[in-house]
Amino acid sequence: MIPEIEKASLEDIKAFQEEKLKEVLCYVQEKSPYYQRLFKEHSIDIKSIRTLEDLIKIPVTTKEQLQNHNADFICVPKNKIVDFVTTSGTLGEPVTIGLTDADLDRLAYNEAISFACAGVTENDILQLTTTIDRRFMAGMAYFLGARKLGAGIIRVGAGIPELQWDTILKFRPTYLIVVPSFLLKLIQYADQHDIDVNASGIKGAICIGESLRNQDFSLNVLANKIKSAWDIELYSTYASTEMSTAFTECSEQQGGHHHPELIIVEILDENDLPVPAGIEGELTITTLGVEAMPLVRFKTGDIMAAHDSPCGCGRNTLRLGPVVGRKKQMIKYKGTTLYPPAMDNLLNDFQEVESYVIEIYHNGIGTDEIGIKIASQNASDVLLHDIKDHFRSKLRVSPKIEFCETQEIQKLRHSKLQRKPVSVIDKRG
Ligand SMILES: [Zn+2]
């Protein structure tokens, strides 16, 4: 199930998207109070936006603008909205996103072709190990996508390894939809209860929320840990509520495929100018075919690179590489730019490191400093030097590193302000 447009040439895909772009601009000009105002304030004649290159004439939309003017982005009367979801904003109050009946159909189509990318067919059964309620969009998208594709789906929900395994053994699903670190919990539970993971019938996992790969698409530490115990295919999927669109890996596992009928992709530098393929920048999107809350040039805050070489699977669409980091967490360290996930990867490499927190702060002269607190049963100068050497050679930075008690680190990781445990504490204000 590969839509024809995904096998078309890059030129044809571009021309196709330019037609879609005209449609979305006409639509928001007519229906969106936010974009009406934006176009007026900047004297933008939407007829002058004919190509994807012309997009730079339109100012970007930030998360803050979406949050501050949330209601102005809605293009339909409230009684047309079927599903109300929220996504955490940057300022505290979550952003509300509404979906009409047509938006839910679009979401189902999006997820069906995304599952198809990962090799899921109507003969497969998916086990959903994430939340479907709590105002999240993702769980609903998976359910609708499976239904559209004709596959089965079992909604187990988050956590509870015992119930997950009971479901795997009872219903024999073939794919899991899962946060990859939870796969380690499932492996651990199986070990303790004499379950042979490799005889479970699971073929693959569609992985959300955490990266599986390094920038060259080789497996990262987490993915290697999973694969060494459980021989299944791991497919990354990247999505967000604002985009209402997923980028899922195919059999080649070389980044998440772009679906040109659903979204326009730009990768922008710090001056909001496009960067060439293969270069990191901020993912910026324009939704296509969204009825309730379309977004034009929305900056996602995620740093990544897009790749445009044809893919072995037969699709010619762009592929998005692993998320390098959140733009807000970018660290400028003595001329080197880096993001916390690279440090997570490096620290996870050390078996001796039981837990850690990374603190980022401004030093006396206003530049960024990195402090890392580590808990280890084997705390020693040798280990300390070993970790420091790794930081210098792999990331070209020398953070301050100290050993601490496990309890102190647990306390720092479970801040009252955050819902989930954190590994990075950004004190830069
Ligand atoms: Zn592919």
Side-chain angles (χ1 to χ4, degrees), residues 65-78:
Q65 286 160 338
L66 182 57
Q67 200 153 18
N68 290 334
H69 309 281
N70 201 168
D72 290 346
F73 282 89
I74 297 175
C75 296
V76 296
K78 194 171 179 183

PDB file of all heavy atoms in Angstrom, residues 65-78:
ATOM      1  N   GLN A  65       3.130  31.420  19.722  1.00  0.00           N
ATOM      2  CA  GLN A  65       2.008  32.067  19.023  1.00  0.00           C
ATOM      3  C   GLN A  65       0.782  31.159  19.036  1.00  0.00           C
ATOM      4  O   GLN A  65      -0.337  31.627  19.244  1.00  0.00           O
ATOM      5  CB  GLN A  65       2.420  32.416  17.581  1.00  0.00           C
ATOM      6  CG  GLN A  65       3.364  33.615  17.555  1.00  0.00           C
ATOM      7  CD  GLN A  65       4.181  33.707  16.277  1.00  0.00           C
ATOM      8  OE1 GLN A  65       4.378  32.735  15.563  1.00  0.00           O
ATOM      9  NE2 GLN A  65       4.676  34.909  15.983  1.00  0.00           N
ATOM     10  N   LEU A  66       1.017  29.881  18.834  1.00  0.00           N
ATOM     11  CA  LEU A  66      -0.094  28.925  18.861  1.00  0.00           C
ATOM     12  C   LEU A  66      -0.755  28.923  20.234  1.00  0.00           C
ATOM     13  O   LEU A  66      -1.975  28.859  20.365  1.00  0.00           O
ATOM     14  CB  LEU A  66       0.439  27.532  18.505  1.00  0.00           C
ATOM     15  CG  LEU A  66      -0.571  26.391  18.432  1.00  0.00           C
ATOM     16  CD1 LEU A  66      -1.682  26.685  17.453  1.00  0.00           C
ATOM     17  CD2 LEU A  66       0.134  25.098  18.044  1.00  0.00           C
ATOM     18  N   GLN A  67       0.064  29.033  21.263  1.00  0.00           N
ATOM     19  CA  GLN A  67      -0.446  29.012  22.630  1.00  0.00           C
ATOM     20  C   GLN A  67      -1.187  30.314  22.977  1.00  0.00           C
ATOM     21  O   GLN A  67      -2.260  30.297  23.565  1.00  0.00           O
ATOM     22  CB  GLN A  67       0.751  28.836  23.562  1.00  0.00           C
ATOM     23  CG  GLN A  67       0.402  28.327  24.909  1.00  0.00           C
ATOM     24  CD  GLN A  67       1.580  27.570  25.510  1.00  0.00           C
ATOM     25  OE1 GLN A  67       2.722  27.715  25.067  1.00  0.00           O
ATOM     26  NE2 GLN A  67       1.312  26.762  26.497  1.00  0.00           N
ATOM     27  N   ASN A  68      -0.596  31.430  22.583  1.00  0.00           N
ATOM     28  CA  ASN A  68      -1.173  32.731  22.938  1.00  0.00           C
ATOM     29  C   ASN A  68      -2.438  33.062  22.157  1.00  0.00           C
ATOM     30  O   ASN A  68      -3.245  33.871  22.607  1.00  0.00           O
ATOM     31  CB  ASN A  68      -0.142  33.844  22.718  1.00  0.00           C
ATOM     32  CG  ASN A  68       0.979  33.781  23.738  1.00  0.00           C
ATOM     33  OD1 ASN A  68       0.787  33.273  24.851  1.00  0.00           O
ATOM     34  ND2 ASN A  68       2.158  34.258  23.368  1.00  0.00           N
ATOM     35  N   HIS A  69      -2.578  32.492  20.964  1.00  0.00           N
ATOM     36  CA  HIS A  69      -3.729  32.815  20.113  1.00  0.00           C
ATOM     37  C   HIS A  69      -4.480  31.546  19.730  1.00  0.00           C
ATOM     38  O   HIS A  69      -5.011  31.446  18.622  1.00  0.00           O
ATOM     39  CB  HIS A  69      -3.264  33.547  18.848  1.00  0.00           C
ATOM     40  CG  HIS A  69      -2.377  34.719  19.126  1.00  0.00           C
ATOM     41  ND1 HIS A  69      -2.873  35.931  19.545  1.00  0.00           N
ATOM     42  CD2 HIS A  69      -1.040  34.861  19.081  1.00  0.00           C
ATOM     43  CE1 HIS A  69      -1.858  36.778  19.733  1.00  0.00           C
ATOM     44  NE2 HIS A  69      -0.729  36.141  19.469  1.00  0.00           N
ATOM     45  N   ASN A  70      -4.498  30.593  20.634  1.00  0.00           N
ATOM     46  CA  ASN A  70      -5.029  29.256  20.358  1.00  0.00           C
ATOM     47  C   ASN A  70      -6.369  29.281  19.602  1.00  0.00           C
ATOM     48  O   ASN A  70      -6.518  28.671  18.538  1.00  0.00           O
ATOM     49  CB  ASN A  70      -5.179  28.507  21.689  1.00  0.00           C
ATOM     50  CG  ASN A  70      -5.223  26.991  21.561  1.00  0.00           C
ATOM     51  OD1 ASN A  70      -5.125  26.269  22.535  1.00  0.00           O
ATOM     52  ND2 ASN A  70      -5.380  26.472  20.354  1.00  0.00           N
ATOM     53  N   ALA A  71      -7.327  30.058  20.097  1.00  0.00           N
ATOM     54  CA  ALA A  71      -8.678  30.046  19.513  1.00  0.00           C
ATOM     55  C   ALA A  71      -8.687  30.603  18.088  1.00  0.00           C
ATOM     56  O   ALA A  71      -9.513  30.200  17.261  1.00  0.00           O
ATOM     57  CB  ALA A  71      -9.638  30.833  20.393  1.00  0.00           C
ATOM     58  N   ASP A  72      -7.764  31.525  17.784  1.00  0.00           N
ATOM     59  CA  ASP A  72      -7.730  32.148  16.451  1.00  0.00           C
ATOM     60  C   ASP A  72      -7.263  31.202  15.352  1.00  0.00           C
ATOM     61  O   ASP A  72      -7.321  31.529  14.170  1.00  0.00           O
ATOM     62  CB  ASP A  72      -6.795  33.372  16.456  1.00  0.00           C
ATOM     63  CG  ASP A  72      -7.381  34.504  17.270  1.00  0.00           C
ATOM     64  OD1 ASP A  72      -8.592  34.435  17.589  1.00  0.00           O
ATOM     65  OD2 ASP A  72      -6.632  35.441  17.594  1.00  0.00           O
ATOM     66  N   PHE A  73      -6.727  30.043  15.739  1.00  0.00           N
ATOM     67  CA  PHE A  73      -6.260  29.089  14.740  1.00  0.00           C
ATOM     68  C   PHE A  73      -7.393  28.165  14.274  1.00  0.00           C
ATOM     69  O   PHE A  73      -7.233  27.426  13.323  1.00  0.00           O
ATOM     70  CB  PHE A  73      -5.117  28.231  15.305  1.00  0.00           C
ATOM     71  CG  PHE A  73      -3.790  28.951  15.326  1.00  0.00           C
ATOM     72  CD1 PHE A  73      -3.416  29.715  16.416  1.00  0.00           C
ATOM     73  CD2 PHE A  73      -2.927  28.872  14.236  1.00  0.00           C
ATOM     74  CE1 PHE A  73      -2.198  30.384  16.443  1.00  0.00           C
ATOM     75  CE2 PHE A  73      -1.714  29.534  14.247  1.00  0.00           C
ATOM     76  CZ  PHE A  73      -1.349  30.298  15.351  1.00  0.00           C
ATOM     77  N   ILE A  74      -8.512  28.194  15.000  1.00  0.00           N
ATOM     78  CA  ILE A  74      -9.583  27.239  14.701  1.00  0.00           C
ATOM     79  C   ILE A  74     -10.453  27.766  13.566  1.00  0.00           C
ATOM     80  O   ILE A  74     -10.931  28.895  13.616  1.00  0.00           O
ATOM     81  CB  ILE A  74     -10.394  26.927  15.979  1.00  0.00           C
ATOM     82  CG1 ILE A  74      -9.452  26.245  16.979  1.00  0.00           C
ATOM     83  CG2 ILE A  74     -11.600  26.039  15.663  1.00  0.00           C
ATOM     84  CD1 ILE A  74     -10.034  25.980  18.330  1.00  0.00           C
ATOM     85  N   CYS A  75     -10.624  26.942  12.540  1.00  0.00           N
ATOM     86  CA  CYS A  75     -11.271  27.368  11.294  1.00  0.00           C
ATOM     87  C   CYS A  75     -12.708  26.887  11.153  1.00  0.00           C
ATOM     88  O   CYS A  75     -13.317  27.098  10.110  1.00  0.00           O
ATOM     89  CB  CYS A  75     -10.470  26.852  10.100  1.00  0.00           C
ATOM     90  SG  CYS A  75      -8.814  27.544  10.017  1.00  0.00           S
ATOM     91  N   VAL A  76     -13.220  26.199  12.164  1.00  0.00           N
ATOM     92  CA  VAL A  76     -14.591  25.656  12.048  1.00  0.00           C
ATOM     93  C   VAL A  76     -15.386  26.015  13.302  1.00  0.00           C
ATOM     94  O   VAL A  76     -14.797  26.264  14.360  1.00  0.00           O
ATOM     95  CB  VAL A  76     -14.574  24.110  11.885  1.00  0.00           C
ATOM     96  CG1 VAL A  76     -13.887  23.709  10.583  1.00  0.00           C
ATOM     97  CG2 VAL A  76     -13.908  23.431  13.078  1.00  0.00           C
ATOM     98  N   PRO A  77     -16.730  26.053  13.196  1.00  0.00           N
ATOM     99  CA  PRO A  77     -17.531  26.267  14.410  1.00  0.00           C
ATOM    100  C   PRO A  77     -17.343  25.102  15.379  1.00  0.00           C
ATOM    101  O   PRO A  77     -17.049  23.977  14.960  1.00  0.00           O
ATOM    102  CB  PRO A  77     -18.976  26.305  13.901  1.00  0.00           C
ATOM    103  CG  PRO A  77     -18.935  26.116  12.437  1.00  0.00           C
ATOM    104  CD  PRO A  77     -17.540  25.879  11.983  1.00  0.00           C
ATOM    105  N   LYS A  78     -17.503  25.396  16.663  1.00  0.00           N
ATOM    106  CA  LYS A  78     -17.221  24.388  17.682  1.00  0.00           C
ATOM    107  C   LYS A  78     -18.034  23.104  17.491  1.00  0.00           C
ATOM    108  O   LYS A  78     -17.559  22.013  17.784  1.00  0.00           O
ATOM    109  CB  LYS A  78     -17.484  24.977  19.072  1.00  0.00           C
ATOM    110  CG  LYS A  78     -16.895  24.139  20.182  1.00  0.00           C
ATOM    111  CD  LYS A  78     -16.979  24.833  21.528  1.00  0.00           C
ATOM    112  CE  LYS A  78     -16.391  23.960  22.628  1.00  0.00           C
ATOM    113  NZ  LYS A  78     -16.529  24.566  23.955  1.00  0.00           N
TER     114      LYS A  78
END
